[in-house]
Amino acid sequence: MSLSQTQQSQDLHDQITILTGSAIRLLAGDAGVFVVSNEAFDPQSSTEYTLYNLTESTCVHLLAYIRERKQPTSACPLVVDTLPAALVMQLGIADDTIEADEQPPEYPGVPGVPARGTLTMYERCSLFLYDHAGVLGMLHYVRPAGAYSCFEYPEEPDGTMRLFITHLAAGLRSALKSQALVKEQRRLAAIFQQSDEGILTVDTALRIIDFNPAMERLTGWHESEVLGRFYYEVLRPRDRQGNEVGLEGSPILRAFAGQNVVNQEMVISARDGQRFDVSVTASYVGSAKGEPTSGILTIRDITREREQEEQRSTFISVVSHELQTPIAIIKGYASTLARTDAVFDEEALRSRLNAIEEEADRLNKLVGNLLYASRIQAGGLQMDIAPLDLPRLIETVVHRLQVKSPDVKVELNLPPYLPTVMADRDRIEEVLQNLLDNAIKYSPDRRELNISCRATGDEVIVSVSDAGMGISLREQGQIFERFQRVGGGTTSSTQGAGLGLYISRAIVEAHGGHIWVESTLHQGSTFSFSLPREEKAYLPMVVF
Ligand code: ADP
């Protein structure tokens, strides 16, 4: 809520207090309360009232007393009765206002006016406030017994009091209405400020008049920078194919034209030029004649939903491709071997059986990785942490690699002393294996790797470098996500489901470390990961 709104509601409250106080004084009262009518018209359960010369606690006694007494109605709008002395004492008005034996004001000739010297009491008066629009509330006030107001002269027609009631009710009604409007304005302002969805409003010339904090977060623009600007120029909306959305497709203009615009998908630009998918709903505020006076756009960022959709379809195509290929090879070789009319020499037999075994291993690895990925997603990884000598582990993995692929040249840069780290040996071996497999897979021309290790104050860092195809800067941000395969031709001709780096990152982060890539397209990549040194290790609770 803005400062001016606070001021506004304070002013309105003062206005009601002044109206109530003036009315009570005009009616010859010393204190009182105006209670706004609620549905049950129960003054005690009403939370909306305005006090005059009474405190909250004394008012409770007065209202409790009145509740048990006769109530005014539109037929008999003023009810007066004498207050018990004990209540007068509780209200705390007797001493300050009038001495018990003070003389009453005189209205000569007015029947019912107490005789001189008899005034020692107070009266409560309840006035039924209503107008043509209905009941507004009750004005209860306390006055010295016999202190008549000018609206009660018997020679005046009954209309005088009714006229007063109508005027007072009209003044109070308009103040209450303004108060209700300010409350509504505050409620809407809170929704506008707190909403998670971007909300912006425009005038009929499509210039921005409101821009909520969610919009600021979404676009990077500050409200003060965009107010008064043409909203098209700020958001630069395009359709999903990248074509500019012309004015005829503008959600606001369509809403102005009476069309129902709900969840229209488009792409908008942030301040830094980044584009993202949004779903837009448009509506307008109309004048009394129904003509649009301003338009409202609610904008929901659906980039994440889009990514998930894309991930799902990538998953299906990658997995089906990765499953179908080995299955087809296994089936092909198996049916060849099963032919009764074919005879194979031992070497041909062995090579086919080897191929079947390799493809079965590939299938096994893929299924293993899929299970691994879903375990990570479901709730973290169980670790078996112990001090680990990284250079020893690296040497073991490299030795195995060279037995399997003797043509790969591996250069090792391991310093003579490296601190131990706290890690799960099998999992870190998996990370190393993934990085080495990738370095070979994505370096079709130069099968040369470099593995190095170094220690910093807190961590030990392992780096695997290749002189392969490299990864563009833009794609470097994606490769640690699930099922992300980048790099076009070479990648699509190599096996893989885009899970290795995702799993590696989960493992390294579960150790409290980091994994990252530095790469130049067509020159090669260096993947590095860090693990906390044994003496510094802390193991975070990782929730994926
Ligand atoms: P996979 O290799 O099974 O596709 P990864 O998660 O291991 O999955 O790698 C994700 C993607 O990152 C790869 O598809 C490839 O495009 C890219 N990538 C990974 N390592 C390298 C590398 N050393 N050189 C070039 N690109 C790489």
Side-chain angles (χ1 to χ4, degrees):
M1 188 177 55
S2 71
L3 201 64
S4 63
Q5 278 176 326
T6 319
Q7 186 58 46
Q8 220 175 340
S9 46
Q10 182 58 44
D11 288 349
L12 286 165
H13 182 76
D14 291 350
Q15 202 178 326
I16 296 176
T17 309
I18 291 168
L19 275 170
T20 304
S22 317
I24 291 173
R25 298 301 307 181
L26 272 172
L27 292 164
D30 284 338
V33 55
F34 161 55
V35 182
V36 180
S37 164
N38 62 10
E39 243 166 50
F41 206 75
D42 172 3
Q44 277 207 307
S45 69
S46 175
T47 50
E48 284 196 65
Y49 52 82
T50 309
L51 299 170
Y52 173 70
N53 269 357
L54 285 180
T55 62
E56 297 262 345
S57 54
T58 53
C59 179
V60 171
H61 301 304
L62 179 65
L63 291 178
Y65 167 80
I66 292 169
R67 198 183 154 96
E68 305 301 322
R69 307 271 136 186
K70 186 176 168 199
Q71 302 297 320
T73 61
S74 55
C76 174
L78 178 64
V79 169
V80 180
D81 55 36
T82 307
L83 283 179
L87 180 57
V88 174
M89 297 307 289
Q90 274 178 325
L91 296 178
I93 47 174
D95 291 341
D96 301 340
T97 54
I98 191 162
E99 293 297 324
D101 58 353
E102 197 177 321
Q103 296 301 308
E106 270 188 275
Y107 301 116
V110 176
V113 173
R116 262 172 189 278
T118 57
L119 180 66
T120 54
M121 308 288 282
Y122 275 81
E123 296 171 336
R124 75 90 192 197
C125 308
S126 294
L127 193 62
F128 192 71
L129 291 179
Y130 65 100
D131 59 11
H132 62 281
V135 182
L136 188 78
M138 293 239 207
L139 182 68
H140 305 292
Y141 55 98
V142 176
R143 70 179 181 192
Y148 279 72
S149 71
C150 57
F151 308 111
E152 295 162 77
Y153 285 133
E155 69 266 25
E156 292 290 337
D158 182 38
T160 317
M161 180 55 99
R162 291 195 186 268
L163 202 61
F164 174 74
I165 290 174
T166 312
H167 276 91
L168 179 59
L172 286 169
R173 188 177 290 286
S174 107
L176 287 170
K177 206 172 207 160
S178 308
Q179 216 172 41
L181 283 177
V182 170
K183 264 192 215 156
E184 184 66 10
Q185 201 181 345
R186 273 158 55 183
R187 204 172 60 81
L188 291 177
I191 295 172
F192 181 77
Q193 294 292 326
Q194 306 302 328
S195 169
D196 259 357
E197 298 199 350
I199 304 174
L200 77 86
T201 62
V202 294
D203 60 18
T204 46
L206 306 186
R207 282 182 303 247
I208 298 175
I209 43 183
D210 294 298
F211 201 76
N212 77 339
M215 234 16 238
E216 293 183 332
R217 289 193 295 275
L218 206 62
T219 62
W221 287 105
H222 192 270
E223 187 183 28
S224 59
E225 297 172 307
V226 299
L227 291 186
R229 285 178 61 188
F230 186 48
Y231 93 93
Y232 250 61
E233 172 196 308
V234 174
L235 301 183
R236 286 167 284 156
R238 288 174 185 267
D239 63 21
R240 290 191 64 197
Q241 285 68 46
N243 309 314
E244 274 185 28
V245 178
L247 274 182
E248 65 291 347
S250 149
I252 279 287
L253 288 185
R254 288 178 50 216
F256 282 172
Q259 291 179 27
N260 198 14
V261 185
V262 180
N263 294 332
Q264 181 178 338
E265 291 191 7
M266 51 174 62
V267 179
I268 61 170
S269 296
R271 189 173 200 254
D272 61 6
Q274 194 200 339
R275 307 194 147 272
F276 48 92
D277 293 297
V278 291
S279 156
V280 176
T281 297
S283 54
Y284 72 86
V285 181
S287 67
K289 287 187 198 156
E291 287 156 2
T293 54
S294 60
I296 306 172
L297 279 181
T298 50
I299 297 181
R300 191 162 54 86
D301 183 359
I302 53 169
T303 318
R304 191 84 200 109
E305 288 166 35
R306 283 273 154 281
E307 279 171 7
Q308 279 171 351
E309 248 170 52
E310 269 163 31
Q311 262 189 9
R312 266 197 295 278
S313 65
T314 318
F315 168 77
I316 292 167
S317 68
V318 166
V319 170
S320 49
H321 172 262
E322 286 297 302
L323 286 174
Q324 271 165 357
T325 313
I327 290 172
I329 296 172
I330 291 171
K331 185 167 167 32
Y333 282 129
S335 44
T336 316
L337 290 177
R339 279 172 59 179
T340 47
D341 57 342
V343 181
F344 300 98
D345 62 34
E346 195 173 328
E347 197 185 332
L349 194 63
R350 186 158 310 282
S351 83
R352 282 169 174 74
L353 287 172
N354 280 345
I356 289 176
E357 192 189 4
E358 259 174 37
E359 294 307 316
D361 283 348
R362 185 175 152 192
L363 266 181
N364 192 29
K365 183 165 181 212
L366 175 66
V367 172
N369 276 349
L370 285 172
L371 289 175
Y372 211 132
S374 70
R375 259 213 326 270
I376 291 170
Q377 272 237 306
L381 295 171
Q382 295 295 314
M383 295 286 161
D384 188 3
I385 302 289
L388 172 66
D389 180 357
L390 262 177
R392 283 281 302 279
L393 176 65
I394 293 171
E395 280 162 0
T396 312
V397 175
V398 168
H399 176 71
R400 209 171 45 223
L401 170 82
Q402 295 207 299
V403 170
K404 199 173 145 209
S405 317
D407 60 321
V408 176
K409 212 173 127 203
V410 183
E411 190 182 316
L412 272 181
N413 278 322
L414 305 176
Y417 167 76
L418 258 188
T420 45
V421 292
M422 288 299 286
D424 180 323
R425 188 188 184 286
D426 292 350
R427 309 241 182 215
I428 296 301
E429 184 174 340
E430 237 164 294
V431 174
L432 269 170
Q433 195 62 58
N434 269 333
L435 297 185
L436 292 179
D437 284 350
N438 280 352
I440 297 169
K441 236 177 10 178
Y442 300 110
S443 307
D445 305 326
R446 286 184 62 187
R447 293 163 76 79
E448 293 170 8
L449 312 182
N450 182 304
I451 303 173
S452 64
C453 262
R454 67 194 161 92
T456 68
D458 294 332
E459 300 171 317
V460 174
I461 298 172
V462 182
S463 298
V464 177
S465 304
D466 62 61
M469 57 190 265
I471 307 160
S472 73
L473 203 58
R474 189 176 57 81
E475 291 173 332
Q476 287 172 27
Q478 304 167 14
I479 54 178
F480 293 97
E481 301 295 328
R482 274 184 314 161
F483 308 121
Q484 289 295 335
R485 307 200 76 213
V486 300
T490 317
T491 304
S492 48
S493 62
T494 55
Q495 297 169 359
L499 283 172
L501 290 179
Y502 169 73
I503 290 172
S504 301
R505 186 185 65 174
I507 292 175
V508 170
E509 288 181 354
H511 282 83
H514 304 280
I515 186 166
W516 66 96
V517 62
E518 291 147 290
S519 182
T520 308
L521 205 54
H522 309 306
Q523 289 185 24
S525 313
T526 299
F527 281 85
S528 306
F529 67 91
S530 64
L531 293 171
R533 290 167 66 145
E534 183 183 0
E535 69 276 16
K536 308 270 178 182
Y538 84 100
L539 294 172
M541 290 286 296
V542 180
V543 180
F544 295 98

